Amino acid sequence: MADLIDLRSDTVTRPTAAMRQAMAGAEVGDDVYGEDRTVNALEAEVAAMFGHEAALFCPSGSMANQIALQLLVPPGAELLCDADAHVVTYEMGAAAAYGGVTSRTWPPVGAELDADVVAAMVRPDGYWAVPTRAIAVEQTHNRGGGGVIPLDTLRELRRIADAGQLALHCDGARIWHAHVADGVPLASYGALFDTLSVCLSKGLGAPVGSLVVGSADRIGRGRVIRKRMGGGMRQAGILAAAGRYALAHHIDRLADDHAKAARLAEAIAPFGVLATTVRTNIVPLDLTKAPLDAPTLAAAARAEGVLISVLGPRTARLVTHLDVTDTQIDQAATTLTHILRR
């Protein structure tokens, strides 16, 4: 697909030459024994970035999320989250299948959530109702068009969690984008959550890996859950080295992806198909009132060399990333506006 402009996801990025060099030179050991120094260094670095005691390197964001949820919600208890949250939409029912976790959701509003709505959903112990044990939010919000939840909203959720003796989890796969977009320090986000999952293989461009961040006790228990779920890795320092390179070189450049997404949004806006204001690297399309549906748009774009993601019959998504150049953004904008104008 080298000839195509791939805007389906930021997961399609490939390691840069410098990242590959870092991977080739990585010091490795057996991580199940805790002897891979590069993995250990990555975990310590990410934990420090968010102001937590420890972190755990995992093969995927889904595994990192599910480990965190199992640490916070005992079997048979309840998690509250957005109806469009990744943890209940794209993780194949893992919270229930692996953790015995019951999920209850508020209406999908992306980053524009109302903390009072969440507070009203909390079920305390007693009354023979399933008790709420944790709240999960997604920062940035994937199906919410890359929206950024305001810091004040997150602080209010922390207050609600404390009042109800609940845990608060952040699916922070793209939290790096929120940090760049709003200038909120990563440690400020970290201070609000009991656990976070953070991804290295989306906007940061590493080939594999996410981490669970939390207290030393939780991460210690998380290692057992990771092994149980098949996530114990051996000489994983090769992958961790890519993550360390990404953290050192690819966070600040996310602003470039935001600017590219804004240019795409500006080109498409006159056609009335933008689902929401574009804040980060995701351009969400709502084709409800458009003459063509999402699969038709995607097929027409592919025929002209542009790949986009279909999320539903009338919803689609464009995602910018480090493998898309400014010239390609201009080409994609021209292609899509030409198709929408037909």
Side-chain angles (χ1 to χ4, degrees), residues 160-202:
I160 292 165
D162 289 343
Q165 296 183 309
L166 311 176
L168 190 60
H169 171 66
C170 178
D171 175 357
R174 294 183 175 91
I175 198 166
W176 322 103
H177 287 279
H179 162 63
V180 170
D182 279 2
V184 175
L186 295 172
S188 295
Y189 283 132
L192 297 172
F193 295 100
D194 298 283
T195 56
L196 304 94
S197 66
V198 297
C199 186
L200 305 172
S201 63
K202 292 186 172 68

Side-chain angles (χ1 to χ4, degrees), residues 55-338:
L56 178 66
F57 189 43
C58 298
S60 73
S62 291
M63 181 177 285
N65 273 330
Q66 294 304 320
I67 289 171
L69 296 186
Q70 290 180 58
L71 290 170
L72 302 179
V73 186
E78 179 179 79
L79 170 75
L80 300 181
C81 64
D82 185 300
D84 270 349
H86 195 282
V87 294
V88 293
T89 303
Y90 292 120
E91 298 183 10
M92 311 308 292
Y98 290 121
V101 175
T102 294
S103 301
R104 194 156 49 94
T105 61
W106 59 81
V109 291
E112 304 301 319
L113 66 91
D114 185 338
D116 290 337
V117 170
V118 179
M121 294 177 65
V122 174
R123 287 174 173 162
D125 287 317
Y127 312 104
W128 296 105
V130 177
T132 305
R133 287 290 180 259
I135 301 166
V137 296
E138 192 171 325
Q139 180 77 311
T140 64
H141 200 293
N142 176 15
R143 288 183 64 89
V148 181
I149 302 172
L151 187 61
D152 285 346
T153 301
L154 297 176
R155 286 171 173 158
E156 182 62 16
L157 289 177
R158 179 73 263 175
R159 187 196 65 77
I160 292 165
D162 289 343
Q165 296 183 309
L166 311 176
L168 190 60
H169 171 66
C170 178
D171 175 357
R174 294 183 175 91
I175 198 166
W176 322 103
H177 287 279
H179 162 63
V180 170
D182 279 2
V184 175
L186 295 172
S188 295
Y189 283 132
L192 297 172
F193 295 100
D194 298 283
T195 56
L196 304 94
S197 66
V198 297
C199 186
L200 305 172
S201 63
K202 292 186 172 68
L204 297 191
V208 176
S210 289
L211 295 98
V212 187
V213 182
S215 68
D217 174 70
R218 284 196 174 102
I219 296 305
R221 290 186 286 122
R223 291 186 185 278
V224 176
I225 299 172
R226 184 185 68 175
K227 190 69 166 64
R228 183 181 297 135
M229 296 177 71
M233 297 180 285
R234 300 299 178 175
Q235 288 71 38
I238 294 172
L239 300 175
R244 295 197 74 197
Y245 182 90
L247 292 174
H249 299 281
H250 289 172
I251 292 179
D252 291 343
R253 66 147 307 280
L254 294 175
D256 297 337
D257 295 340
H258 300 176
K260 291 171 184 174
R263 283 166 53 201
L264 281 173
E266 183 179 5
I268 294 169
F271 298 93
V273 296
L274 285 181
T276 188
T277 302
V278 172
R279 291 290 322 281
T280 54
N281 71 319
I282 298 176
V283 182
L285 305 183
D286 179 358
L287 300 166
T288 303
K289 298 180 180 179
L292 72 175
D293 60 17
T296 302
L297 175 62
R302 186 184 186 99
E304 297 191 31
V306 178
L307 302 182
I308 69 172
S309 184
V310 176
L311 302 183
R314 289 279 174 176
T315 55
R317 182 187 73 172
L318 319 173
V319 185
T320 57
H321 50 80
L322 62 83
D323 280 0
V324 181
T325 67
D326 286 319
T327 299
Q328 288 176 320
I329 290 295
D330 292 337
Q331 293 171 345
T334 299
T335 296
L336 292 167
T337 54
H338 173 70

